[in-house]
Amino acid sequence: MAEHTIAIIGGTGDLGFGLALRWARAGVPVIVGSRDPQKAIQAAQRLEQTLKLHASGESLQVSISGTENAQAAAEASVVVVAVPISAQADILKSIRGSLKGAVVVDTTVPLAAALGGKPTRMLRLWQGSAAGQARELLPSTTPLVAAFHNVSAGVLQDLTAMPDCDVLVCGDDDAAKQAVFPLIKLIPGPRPIDVGPLEMSSIVEGITALLISINRRHRIHHSGIRITGLDSQS
Amino acid sequence: MAEHTIAIIGGTGDLGFGLALRWARAGVPVIVGSRDPQKAIQAAQRLEQTLKLHASGESLQVSISGTENAQAAAEASVVVVAVPISAQADILKSIRGSLKGAVVVDTTVPLAAALGGKPTRMLRLWQGSAAGQARELLPSTTPLVAAFHNVSAGVLQDLTAMPDCDVLVCGDDDAAKQAVFPLIKLIPGPRPIDVGPLEMSSIVEGITALLISINRRHRIHHSGIRITGLDSQS
């Protein structure tokens, strides 16, 4: 997949770090973005160390760097935004001028916890979803998909574990989806599943709150969802 | 499970008929409810014929009857409400005076199609969900759970098929959930999964719209969802 360079905006957070780890391991050049370039560089170093620990003797060929968010976005062909809802708008504004035709993958989940509420409840955004908010804040020409909302960040960060879930992909731009699907397939476990237009993210984002509720109720940590009835499709 | 008699309010509709079929087959006494008692009786006869067709020689011991909704509710210990959102409020009002301590299972999904909108979009109810609306319309002492939103009615109606999905159960009353779980287990395929309080139905109901979107996108008919990470729990 060397045709893509992936920037992870918010790559120092749990989900961003987990995704960076998986893609770097699969050989994709990864740029960790953070508001603080020092933190981004440290996260990149931590990624490399984690991968070396797990490579155990095998030769390790990875390309990982860290830099400030807008710079990271400028250098990538796929820009994954993995930031809390409280930071989403500001960060999208800070990177939108730097995008060079990249596909943006929004992963934001508007949990009520952002306002001090319960993590099992959702905020209702005027645009219907965090993805809808991203659509509004990005240039209309920026290809946008929403995905990865329901994948356990903890499992992604644990290279000995395999995510037992699917990645539901929402978007209005089929070419953008097609660009992202092979990247999802590089992560062992999840199937990428096209669930329809971007507005479906309203429901997909909510599933994260549902999984948090299931985790609490069953005293587990990594519930997930799988779609049935698709046969071998992706 | 002869300790329960199940009334299916809206038992002439697809989901209601499918559930009635599965429970009657498992030996549970079933009362089909409809606004029109004649239609209820016809549906009960159709259920019996369908079961006879599939019994093929085995002796068939079923108890199926049909009557008007309020009468059906009065005779049952579990009352499953399987009606369109456009009928939910009126029908709950029509049966609430007849309930005799029964557990009510609401299955309503507020699809925008009820107002001529898309079946992949949801209506926002003031109470947060169709289950929340049911909670408000029923006596506060009525035990209420929300479930079965995401099960394919078509698969339930086809006795040669097995639903490949879980049944997500929402509710604030643990005893009511415990009463419903064994009934769900009588249907081959789905696991009953406690997903937390009744308010989670807001998200569970939305998953139906998501599955409809997936069905359209992939030209399939019976997508479903399974929860992972639970081990063998129910």
Side-chain angles (χ1 to χ4, degrees):
Chain A
M1 299 306 306
E3 77 244 46
H4 280 300
T5 296
I6 305 182
I8 317 269
I9 307 304
T12 58
D14 282 339
L15 178 62
F17 191 86
L19 288 171
L21 195 60
R22 297 288 179 159
W23 279 320
R25 191 196 210 188
V28 185
V30 167
I31 308 167
V32 176
S34 174
R35 277 188 276 207
D36 177 346
Q38 280 310 311
K39 282 192 183 166
I41 291 165
Q42 285 163 12
Q45 289 167 343
R46 208 152 41 92
L47 279 169
E48 215 161 321
Q49 285 160 9
T50 308
L51 288 168
K52 271 185 187 152
L53 266 174
H54 281 266
S56 62
E58 299 165 51
S59 78
L60 186 69
Q61 290 212 327
V62 295
S63 163
I64 308 172
S65 61
T67 184
E68 185 274 329
N69 282 328
Q71 184 61 35
E75 295 173 12
S77 55
V78 172
V79 174
V80 177
V81 179
V83 302
I85 182 66
S86 53
Q88 188 208 24
D90 281 349
I91 284 179
L92 287 175
K93 287 177 201 166
S94 78
I95 67 167
R96 65 184 171 194
S98 310
L99 295 166
K100 299 209 170 71
V103 173
V104 172
V105 182
D106 189 74
T107 72
T108 315
V109 177
L111 297 180
L115 297 182
K118 293 187 184 182
T120 56
R121 289 179 173 169
M122 302 296 290
L123 300 176
R124 284 187 178 165
L125 303 183
W126 191 265
Q127 301 89 343
S129 65
Q133 179 157 283
R135 180 67 284 168
E136 201 174 87
L137 289 166
L138 291 169
S140 63
T141 52
T142 297
L144 173 66
V145 305
F148 296 112
H149 311 90
N150 312 322
V151 184
S152 163
V155 173
L156 284 174
Q157 289 179 85
D158 175 3
L159 287 176
T160 66
M162 190 165 87
D164 182 8
C165 65
D166 291 327
V167 171
L168 310 188
V169 182
C170 314
D172 299 326
D173 181 331
D174 280 337
K177 284 177 177 169
Q178 291 309 321
V180 171
F181 274 29
L183 296 172
I184 297 171
K185 288 180 182 167
L186 289 176
I187 302 172
R191 296 177 301 175
I193 295 179
D194 184 348
V195 302
L198 196 72
E199 65 179 27
M200 298 315 294
S201 195
S202 169
I203 293 160
V204 177
E205 294 166 20
I207 291 174
T208 304
L210 182 71
L211 294 175
I212 292 171
S213 180
I214 291 172
N215 285 347
R216 289 186 162 195
R217 191 80 193 176
H218 295 268
R219 298 170 195 276
I220 58 177
H221 296 287
H222 306 300
S223 64
I225 82 154
R226 289 275 192 193
I227 301 297
T228 61
L230 283 167
D231 302 327
S232 61
Q233 287 155 279
S234 62
Chain B
M1 299 306 303
E3 77 244 44
H4 280 300
T5 295
I6 305 183
I8 317 271
I9 307 303
T12 58
D14 282 340
L15 178 61
F17 191 85
L19 289 171
L21 196 61
R22 297 289 179 158
W23 279 320
R25 189 195 211 187
V28 184
V30 167
I31 307 167
V32 175
S34 174
R35 278 187 274 206
D36 177 345
Q38 279 310 311
K39 283 192 183 165
I41 291 166
Q42 284 162 14
Q45 289 166 344
R46 208 152 41 92
L47 280 169
E48 215 161 321
Q49 284 160 11
T50 308
L51 288 168
K52 271 184 188 154
L53 267 173
H54 281 267
S56 63
E58 300 165 50
S59 78
L60 186 70
Q61 290 212 326
V62 294
S63 163
I64 307 173
S65 60
T67 184
E68 185 274 330
N69 281 329
Q71 183 62 33
E75 294 174 10
S77 55
V78 172
V79 174
V80 176
V81 178
V83 303
I85 182 66
S86 54
Q88 188 207 24
D90 279 350
I91 284 180
L92 287 175
K93 288 178 201 166
S94 78
I95 67 167
R96 66 184 170 194
S98 310
L99 296 166
K100 299 209 170 71
V103 173
V104 172
V105 181
D106 189 75
T107 71
T108 316
V109 176
L111 296 180
L115 298 183
K118 293 187 184 182
T120 57
R121 288 179 172 170
M122 301 296 290
L123 300 176
R124 285 189 177 163
L125 302 184
W126 190 266
Q127 301 88 343
S129 63
Q133 179 158 282
R135 179 69 282 168
E136 200 174 88
L137 289 167
L138 292 168
S140 62
T141 51
T142 298
L144 173 66
V145 304
F148 296 111
H149 311 88
N150 312 321
V151 184
S152 163
V155 173
L156 284 174
Q157 288 178 86
D158 175 3
L159 287 176
T160 67
M162 189 166 87
D164 182 9
C165 65
D166 291 326
V167 171
L168 310 188
V169 182
C170 313
D172 300 325
D173 181 330
D174 280 337
K177 284 178 176 167
Q178 291 310 320
V180 170
F181 274 28
L183 296 173
I184 297 170
K185 288 181 182 166
L186 289 176
I187 303 171
R191 297 176 301 174
I193 295 179
D194 184 348
V195 302
L198 196 72
E199 65 179 28
M200 299 315 294
S201 195
S202 168
I203 293 159
V204 177
E205 293 165 20
I207 290 173
T208 303
L210 181 71
L211 294 175
I212 292 170
S213 180
I214 291 171
N215 284 347
R216 288 185 163 197
R217 192 82 194 173
H218 296 267
R219 299 170 196 276
I220 57 176
H221 296 286
H222 305 301
S223 64
I225 81 156
R226 289 275 192 192
I227 301 297
T228 61
L230 284 167
D231 301 328
S232 60
Q233 286 156 278
S234 63

